[in-house]
Amino acid sequence: GETLPGGHRWRAFLFEQAQSYYLKAMAIAPSCMPLLINYSVLLSHHLNRPAKGRRLLEEALKHAPEDPSILCNIASLHEQAGDLVKAEEVLIRAIEMSNGRHVGALYNMGRVCHYGRNNTGLAIKFYEEVCDLTEDSKPHAESLDMKLRRQAQEQIRMIRNSNQRAQQKMLEARGLA
């Protein structure tokens, strides 16, 4: 068997171990929202059990219906399943609940616009909003926000570079470059 770090079996083992720790923690604190959200992410993204992860998030939403983080994660599952309309609806709810200040919801809406809808102009607006909201964040504070800021900046650069290359090719094709 494969025993190198990063190998499929090794990673699967680590995720299964993490699941056992989440289950123990949930027995102690069954209504802890960060725990439920993180466990649902583990199930959905790493253990290929999106239905179980979604059920957990829907249960969490019953206890905290105004929590945009839960909605943001539910939207992510809709996006993964290819249901962009539902993902957008849920993200809009999360953005509205947070008065437009939930960095994860804004970033995910940028992703849906960019990759799902191929609307790079609107995607840039959402990515720029992420950058604006996190501009004053300290590097060690809210590490997820800072990670999303860096990713949003990279997405903006990618879109702009791609647009410039496309414009250059169009000029070359017309003999203007």
Side-chain angles (χ1 to χ4, degrees), residues 107 114-115 127 151-159:
Y107 179 80
H114 182 186
Y115 295 106
Y127 292 144
Q151 289 176 346
Q153 289 169 330
E154 181 59 29
Q155 294 296 328
I156 291 168
R157 272 192 296 280
M158 261 181 22
I159 290 169

Side-chain angles (χ1 to χ4, degrees), residues 26-128:
M26 287 177 62
I28 297 167
S31 61
C32 175
M33 288 307 120
L35 180 62
L36 289 171
I37 291 169
N38 288 330
Y39 182 45
S40 74
V41 169
L42 174 75
L43 288 168
S44 304
H45 299 288
H46 302 292
L47 294 175
N48 199 26
R49 297 181 192 142
K52 189 171 183 179
R54 187 171 167 163
R55 281 193 305 273
L56 260 177
L57 288 171
E58 288 169 355
E59 186 63 32
L61 196 57
K62 290 178 187 174
H63 297 287
E66 301 298 314
D67 188 335
S69 295
I70 297 170
L71 290 173
C72 189
N73 282 282
I74 290 172
S76 179
L77 292 175
H78 287 300
E79 181 186 358
Q80 283 181 334
D83 190 349
L84 298 178
V85 172
K86 190 68 176 166
E88 285 176 354
E89 290 172 4
V90 175
L91 286 170
I92 288 168
R93 258 180 68 204
I95 291 167
E96 288 172 350
M97 277 184 188
S98 67
N99 295 318
R101 302 196 57 80
H102 192 274
V103 173
L106 293 165
Y107 179 80
N108 285 348
M109 185 61 97
R111 284 184 48 78
V112 168
C113 292
H114 182 186
Y115 295 106
R117 299 287 186 210
N118 202 26
N119 185 338
T120 56
L122 189 55
I124 284 178
K125 288 181 181 181
F126 282 108
Y127 292 144
E128 286 175 338

